Amino acid sequence: MDKDQVSAILAEIGTLLELQGESGFRTNAYHNGARAVQQLEGDLGEVIRRGELGDVPGIGATLREKITTLVTTGSLPFYDKLKEEIPAGLVEMLRIPGLGPKKVKAIHESLEIDTLEKLRIACESGQVAKLKGFGAKTQEKILEGLKFVSEVGNRVRLDQAMWVADGIVAGLREASGIIRMEVCGSIRRRKETCKDIDLLVSSDTPGPIMERFVSLPGVITVTGHGPTKSSVVVQRVTASGTRITMNADLRVVPDVHFPFAQHYFTGSKEHGIAMRLRAIKHDLKLNEYELAGEGHSIPCKTEADLFRALGLDFIPPELREDTGEMDAAERHTLPKLVEVGDIRGVFHNHTVYSDGANTVEEMARAAQALGFEYFGLGDHSQSLTVANGLTPDRVRAQQKEVDAVRKKMKGFHIFKGTECDILEDGSLDYDDDLLATFDYVVASVHSFFNQPREEMTARIVRAVRHPRVTMLGHATGRLLLKRNRYHVDLDAVLQAAADCGTMIEINADPHRLDLDWVHCKRAKALGVLLVINPDAHSTGGLANFRFGVDVARRGWLEKRHVFNTMSGDAVAKEFAKRSKRGT
DNA sequence: GCCGTTTTCGGCCCGACTGTTTTCAGTCG
């Protein structure tokens, strides 16, 4: 059982205990423990064997016992018993906005309701409104919430959330009296998926701004409308017809409160709590309006002032997860994070030769237009027939074409590459002689996703160790909100990459974002070189590299940890060096 | 259930909004 599974079970235990009416402090301990496990660096089993689990902050004697049982036996009687006692439908009910553990418990105990369907029927017949502490409005809200839950999932991808947020910001700009405005929350922290949109505005005249917000085009429901805070459900349809529905909250504060509110609403919740605890240690109180001590308030114009007042360097939003950023900010050891402008080229891109929409030259020129110094190809290999993978003959034809385009685009590097399939047994889809004709090789898994963990790990490790493999593509194969990652011991893969100098790709396609930020941190610690690839299938897809930069930043990466911050000449030299290694 | 410059018990972040309430609990972020 790996970290993700253990973490999910701990979080579920926390939720189940909430539904039993347990103290919030106890249930919180499980949620904290879940987070601690998920963000643990290194192999969980190894940490247990070394007896270091109890040293992890947030894991005490009880959780240590439970986690050890889970990992060593694969199950936990305490958890199994909880699941038997609490119907799964109650957990589903928690997804309904406005329904928390207390209300769900009340509904279950007084009306014996344990599924969403029974809840709907009870609301429609007016039974719920009669319950103590409930009423007609609550019942109506639950019905709306049931519809919301059935129509949309909880989270959307970052690119979709940003697009919806941009629309709201553009609409709000037409209101007068806005002094400062910023999208906060998980969008500002660049989480790969987001639940809602948190907007913050400073103004002396909040009224008209609130009015504008609740009547923006696309607003389908107003769920809250106060003088300083409003909430709406907003819906936009993309050019390709995808309907995106999200909650959006707007807070309006006087400008003097802006930095405090900005910090507060950016989160994460855990980072915010850690900051408030730090304020308390300084005999100060921090909330969304001020940082204050007895009888005095500390003025701050920006977030940087706020951090400084607590003895901290500025912590970039991407790092605010309470995973060590406070200590680093205090010791002045925060990383100087890689930036979009540091990226000088990209590899792993597709053309019309396989499943891309544009020619080699169109892609290369688009890359040049983005300000890159180089562009690398990564069309699919022969066994991936569904994506029109290249046979050796077609590889040679493409390489001839590249030679021709190179002549036309002097001063711009075009690197010959391939996204070569890792076959079922870990061997590669081309023979060594053909692989030697490329400047670099991206090796990826595109088949047999359901292999058992040991097989998949051995398969990928074998490919990573292949001397012709420059970088591993798609480290996990996940499709955000659609397909889970395949079962693989990523720590073993990263270790293998570290051992033989193979790079690991941060796949920047916002549908994928293979290699999450937690493993970025781990890779960095092991000395693995990372590379940000857009996996572009058209000229427009090249710009997605920015989402990879977001992941890298969340993974504490600096410029030096990312291969494609190097110049085109340096990259060419590195490839030449590696090609000798492979012979 | 965790934790300790308040250390083995007694705390545990903080405020807005809503709905159902005559003063506040529940939810949310």
Side-chain angles (χ1 to χ4, degrees), chain A residues 141 205-214 222-232 248-253 289:
Chain A
K141 256 188 122 172
T205 52
I209 298 167
M210 280 298 175
E211 288 307 320
R212 172 85 193 148
F213 178 66
V214 298
V222 178
T223 43
H225 188 12
T228 65
K229 179 186 173 184
S230 292
S231 303
V232 300
D249 294 333
L250 171 67
R251 292 289 286 250
V252 183
V253 299
Y289 302 116

Side-chain angles (χ1 to χ4, degrees), chain A residues 65-260:
Chain A
E65 286 302 310
K66 291 196 160 81
I67 294 167
T68 305
T69 306
L70 261 177
V71 172
T72 51
T73 70
S75 69
L76 179 67
F78 173 70
Y79 167 63
D80 296 336
K81 187 159 164 284
L82 268 180
K83 271 208 303 191
E84 267 177 40
E85 289 168 2
I86 300 159
L90 301 196
V91 179
E92 287 180 47
M93 284 184 211
L94 289 175
R95 291 175 59 208
I96 296 169
L99 275 194
K102 300 262 169 48
K103 286 212 167 87
V104 169
K105 188 164 182 272
I107 289 170
H108 177 228
E109 287 178 353
S110 45
L111 297 175
E112 293 183 357
I113 287 172
D114 54 10
T115 66
L116 293 181
E117 182 58 15
K118 284 185 195 166
L119 178 60
R120 186 182 60 79
I121 292 165
C123 284
E124 282 171 352
S125 66
Q127 290 180 71
V128 172
K130 290 181 196 147
L131 294 179
K132 188 175 184 303
F134 291 67
K137 285 202 173 173
T138 306
Q139 182 172 271
E140 190 54 36
K141 256 188 122 172
I142 293 173
L143 277 173
E144 272 177 30
L146 278 166
K147 215 172 140 215
F148 184 74
V149 165
S150 67
E151 280 175 6
V152 286
N154 265 338
R155 309 191 74 87
V156 306
R157 296 192 318 266
L158 177 61
D159 59 311
Q160 297 174 319
M162 285 173 74
W163 181 69
V164 175
D166 285 348
I168 296 176
V169 167
L172 269 186
R173 282 213 188 284
E174 291 173 19
S176 59
I178 294 174
I179 302 168
R180 285 190 263 184
M181 171 155 65
E182 178 142 34
V183 179
C184 298
S186 42
I187 294 181
R188 183 162 180 238
R189 299 201 316 280
R190 294 291 192 267
K191 271 198 79 164
E192 55 267 68
T193 60
C194 303
K195 212 173 115 190
D196 45 28
I197 294 168
D198 292 297
L199 261 168
L200 177 67
V201 163
S202 66
S203 172
D204 299 324
T205 52
I209 298 167
M210 280 298 175
E211 288 307 320
R212 172 85 193 148
F213 178 66
V214 298
S215 56
L216 282 173
V219 168
I220 54 172
T221 315
V222 178
T223 43
H225 188 12
T228 65
K229 179 186 173 184
S230 292
S231 303
V232 300
V233 177
V234 62
Q235 197 169 73
R236 283 191 76 192
V237 181
T238 66
S240 58
T242 309
R243 187 183 303 272
I244 306 169
T245 311
M246 294 187 78
N247 282 305
D249 294 333
L250 171 67
R251 292 289 286 250
V252 183
V253 299
D255 197 60
V256 66
H257 293 158
F258 190 84
F260 305 101

